[in-house]
Amino acid sequence: VQLQASGGGTVQSGDSLRLSCTVSGNFFSVNNMAWYRQAPAQQRELVAEITERGRTNYADSVKGRFSIARDNAKNLVTLQMSRLRPEDTAVYFCNADVISSRFSLNTYWGQGTLVTVSS
């Protein structure tokens, strides 16, 4: 199982950016999907998560600005980020709880994509 993230880049404060992450490989299904971020010298933190049925949860710092969505048919999760701030600068990681073909549950991480917001 592999997670491939894309969409990072450098933007200015107030701009928008959309991250995407696709799960590929041999598995049965994908449960929760999420985005985390890690800023320099800080711990990785949850940004947003979404269940298989579409229930979402956001960090307080991004509520009203970020929106997570998924396409179960494509095993795709996206993070639409609006009104970006310099403090949103971080490496963003996608995360997925995957049920294997043997019905074991494992958590996988994408490689990380850098988002830089300049003031």
Side-chain angles (χ1 to χ4, degrees):
V1 176
Q2 291 186 328
L3 274 64
Q4 182 67 45
S6 62
T10 300
V11 296
Q12 293 188 335
S13 182
D15 285 351
S16 298
L17 204 59
R18 183 174 181 265
L19 306 181
S20 298
C21 177
T22 301
V23 183
S24 62
N26 184 20
F27 54 89
F28 179 73
S29 66
V30 180
N31 281 5
N32 282 17
M33 304 180 84
W35 288 95
Y36 286 73
R37 68 185 180 188
Q38 187 167 15
Q42 294 189 21
Q43 290 188 335
R44 192 172 297 188
E45 63 174 359
L46 176 68
V47 176
E49 59 186 342
I50 185 168
T51 68
E52 187 176 7
R53 295 190 176 186
R55 182 178 298 179
T56 59
N57 178 51
Y58 295 92
D60 288 343
S61 60
V62 307
K63 282 182 181 177
R65 299 188 300 122
F66 291 11
S67 179
I68 189 170
R70 64 188 288 170
D71 183 334
N72 290 334
K74 297 180 180 179
N75 296 311
L76 169 71
V77 62
T78 60
L79 185 68
Q80 179 66 46
M81 304 182 291
S82 303
R83 291 182 281 146
L84 282 161
R85 304 168 181 169
E87 53 264 39
D88 294 318
T89 295
V91 177
Y92 284 70
F93 298 89
C94 58
N95 165 290
D97 293 331
V98 179
I99 297 179
S100 73
S101 56
R102 295 187 176 184
F103 304 105
S104 64
L105 180 65
N106 294 285
T107 299
Y108 295 88
W109 292 88
Q111 83 281 14
T113 184
L114 178 62
V115 173
T116 303
V117 184
S118 59
S119 57

